[in-house]
Amino acid sequence: MYQDQKLNTLRNWAAQLFAFRARMQKGDLVALPLKQQSAVAFGEVVGDNEYRPDLPAGASHARKVKWIRTDVPRTAIGTDLLYSLGAFLTVARIQRNNAEERIKALLAGKPDPGFDEEQVVSGGDELEDVDSALQDLERYARDLISKRISQRFKGPKFERLVKELLQAQGYVTARTTAGADGGVDIVAGREPMGFDEPRIAVQVKSGETPEDIKAVRELRGVLEAFNAQRGLFVSWGGFKSSVTNAKRQLFFQVRLWTADDVIDAVLENYDRLSDGTKSELPLKRIWTLVPSLEDD
């Protein structure tokens, strides 16, 4: 049927379909890296394979899943597991470095017990005869950057990082007084003196717990007190679904930054950050070939 496709591509497709239909079992854990936020959803397989012609083309094979958590921050997951989750394959079994027990610990609300990350991480996962080197290297690099920020920029240091990013984007900023900020950590206005619009009130959360809609609405409620037209809520741990569902209603008043948005801002403005920040977060630009499952 697919005469124009390379043999390796056909083998990859067949292996993933076979794994999805026959090797995946009820009770198995499923990890789904999310695209719209820096988090991973975890669930449990509760149904057999179904062929559903009513579903969109290319997604006709389905299995029922009971979702356990849909907001586990990537920063809470060990770098070695994130590397495995970065495989280009949609369906792959992850088992290296005691992966299953570590994920169960995360789902129970405990920290990732971790593993000796000095060990080689290039083998051990069952990838159905696919080259294990096929990884989303960009995602993996971002995860390393995320880990460094999470380790080195906690609390006030994270606020300073956000403040520098806003300054690099052309804002004049000031930090509010600790303990009497009314839910606002930074105020920002356009140059040359910060009086120009838009004037922004910024709340910054460096923890790994996703923020809910109540916290975002509280920021929106204090904008007038700071003579600000707009709000920016920066949550390193991301946001709960209640915030995501209200994102359109918040569009003209509050912007939401997750860890991925912070990293985007760092990469875009890195040359304009202070030497101190660069020493804490040393980055180097490189070029790399984009891998493809079709490569021989």
Side-chain angles (χ1 to χ4, degrees):
M1 182 176 292
Y2 303 102
Q3 298 180 17
D4 295 334
Q5 297 294 335
K6 294 182 179 180
L7 177 60
N8 278 352
T9 300
L10 296 177
R11 290 175 63 199
N12 293 332
W13 289 354
Q16 291 187 80
L17 281 172
F18 180 78
F20 190 82
R21 180 179 64 85
R23 305 194 71 157
M24 190 181 293
Q25 301 295 319
K26 292 180 182 178
D28 285 350
L29 290 173
V30 173
L32 177 65
L34 303 179
K35 299 294 186 182
Q36 301 300 319
Q37 62 185 105
S38 185
V40 180
F42 290 98
E44 177 185 345
V45 177
V46 295
D48 295 321
N49 178 73
E50 300 177 52
Y51 183 74
R52 296 273 305 277
D54 57 306
L55 295 176
S60 299
H61 290 269
R63 302 190 73 134
K64 290 183 179 178
V65 171
K66 176 184 177 182
W67 294 107
I68 302 170
R69 281 193 61 185
T70 59
D71 57 1
V72 178
R74 295 181 70 92
T75 52
I77 304 171
T79 305
D80 56 320
L81 293 187
L82 289 175
Y83 185 84
S84 294
L85 292 173
F88 267 25
L89 293 180
T90 301
V91 181
R93 184 180 180 188
I94 308 302
Q95 56 186 2
R96 74 174 66 164
N97 295 0
N98 200 26
E100 183 176 357
E101 295 306 314
R102 291 166 61 185
I103 290 173
K104 286 180 176 179
L106 284 171
L107 297 181
K110 302 175 183 177
D112 181 354
F115 200 80
D116 184 0
E117 294 191 9
E118 292 183 359
Q119 287 199 206
V120 177
V121 294
S122 60
D125 290 335
E126 180 183 298
L127 297 179
E128 301 289 359
D129 298 325
V130 176
D131 183 2
S132 63
L134 286 177
Q135 301 286 328
D136 186 343
L137 295 180
E138 181 180 6
R139 180 71 261 184
Y140 180 60
R142 291 173 69 93
D143 285 332
L144 291 179
I145 296 170
S146 177
K147 285 288 183 182
R148 173 58 73 96
I149 294 176
S150 182
Q151 293 167 356
R152 299 291 182 92
F153 295 87
K154 287 288 188 183
K157 290 187 70 174
F158 187 58
E159 289 180 22
R160 286 196 293 269
L161 175 62
V162 173
K163 183 171 178 284
E164 277 196 46
L165 292 173
L166 292 171
Q167 290 171 342
Q169 294 178 356
Y171 287 93
V172 175
T173 66
R175 296 176 68 191
T176 58
T177 303
D181 57 19
V184 172
D185 301 298
I186 302 167
V187 289
R190 281 295 186 182
E191 294 182 321
M193 298 183 66
F195 295 142
D196 295 344
E197 298 180 358
R199 293 190 292 271
I200 302 172
V202 186
Q203 186 164 10
V204 181
K205 298 290 187 181
S206 63
E208 295 182 350
T209 302
E211 295 294 326
D212 60 19
I213 190 63
K214 179 182 178 182
V216 178
R217 285 175 176 160
E218 287 175 353
L219 172 62
R220 185 175 61 178
V222 300
L223 294 182
E224 185 177 351
F226 286 86
N227 199 23
Q229 294 95 0
R230 303 289 182 267
L232 171 63
F233 201 121
V234 182
S235 173
W236 185 252
F239 297 94
K240 293 183 177 180
S241 58
S242 58
V243 180
T244 305
N245 294 338
K247 197 171 183 178
R248 288 186 179 181
Q249 287 77 22
L250 297 167
F251 184 83
F252 291 111
Q253 292 178 297
V254 179
R255 284 288 188 271
L256 308 172
W257 275 14
T258 64
D260 272 338
D261 296 302
V262 173
I263 294 173
D264 284 341
V266 167
L267 297 179
E268 183 178 350
N269 300 283
Y270 187 74
D271 291 339
R272 293 187 287 274
L273 298 181
S274 69
D275 291 340
T277 296
K278 290 179 182 178
S279 67
E280 292 273 9
L281 186 62
L283 302 181
K284 178 181 179 180
R285 288 187 175 91
I286 64 169
W287 292 93
T288 184
L289 185 68
V290 178
S292 169
L293 289 176
E294 298 181 359
D295 291 340
D296 289 324

